[in-house]
Amino acid sequence: MLHGLAVFTSNVDGQFQRAGLDDALIHECHGSLHWLQCLRGCGQAPWPADDVQPDIDEAECRWRGELPACPGCGGLARPNLLMFGDWGWISGRYDAQAHRLNRWLERVERPVVIEVGAGTAIPSVRMFGQQVVAGYGGHIVRINPREPDVATAFGVGLACGAVEALTALESKLG
Ligand SMILES: [Zn+2]
């Protein structure tokens, strides 16, 4: 049986990678600010934004100097993340992440989904956890100070903040 930790997140800030988690087991369902893509979709694959050093005029709320350009066509680049009503997002990197996460889920038994701060307004993260439980068994631990409800058969809701809940869980498992 496979043990370990995988991440499904709607955050786009790359903090799970910065915290040292394995990039191969992170699915960023809305993309990442740390990747760029061609605005007009010339066929260039998305590329890391590591070389971008934003120089912002904070008083005017403006980017100074040259905007990032597509290495394929020289046109304007954009963040490789999914915005509302966004038909131009190039999702290949994230489709691959989804595939890797599904392969991982097929190899685990009785997964525990620790869902942190996932609301009902845009329920993609909540739906993911529920699909895991429906498809692979296991349970959800739903950490949410305002919307902790979860059907008893599927898991438990903790009506508190993330640090409080995770610290308490760690001490119980300790
Ligand atoms: Zn291009």
Side-chain angles (χ1 to χ4, degrees):
M1 184 170 71
L2 189 67
H3 295 273
L5 173 71
V7 172
F8 178 94
T9 182
S10 61
N11 292 351
V12 297
D13 57 12
Q15 291 298 309
F16 284 104
Q17 287 91 339
R18 281 190 71 178
L21 293 165
D22 183 358
D23 189 49
L25 288 174
I26 298 173
H27 178 196
E28 299 160 300
C29 69
H30 289 181
S32 172
L33 279 171
H34 296 278
W35 286 73
L36 295 172
Q37 67 167 77
C38 180
L39 179 63
R40 63 182 172 196
C42 70
Q44 169 70 42
W47 63 96
D50 299 345
D51 295 335
V52 176
Q53 300 292 331
D55 178 14
I56 306 294
D57 180 338
E58 293 190 9
E60 296 290 326
C61 196
R62 283 183 169 273
W63 181 288
R64 294 193 188 102
E66 293 288 312
L67 289 164
C70 171
C73 68
L76 194 60
R78 54 160 277 186
N80 183 217
L81 53 81
L82 177 64
M83 295 178 257
F84 290 106
D86 187 351
W87 298 101
W89 183 47
I90 299 171
S91 65
R93 180 168 181 267
Y94 312 99
D95 296 340
Q97 289 181 336
H99 181 71
R100 287 198 302 263
L101 184 55
N102 286 333
R103 293 291 312 278
W104 184 84
L105 281 166
E106 287 164 5
R107 296 166 54 208
V108 299
E109 291 178 25
R110 299 171 57 218
V112 175
V113 178
I114 301 177
E115 181 195 278
V116 182
T120 56
I122 302 171
S124 39
V125 171
R126 285 172 88 107
M127 287 171 58
F128 172 79
Q130 289 162 196
Q131 286 167 358
V132 168
V133 171
Y136 301 97
H139 289 89
I140 296 175
V141 177
R142 172 163 288 153
I143 301 168
N144 192 309
R146 289 180 303 278
E147 299 173 303
D149 294 343
V150 54
T152 308
F154 296 117
V156 61
L158 303 177
C160 57
V163 171
E164 182 185 350
L166 293 172
T167 304
L169 283 174
E170 186 177 35
S171 70
K172 290 282 184 194
L173 294 171

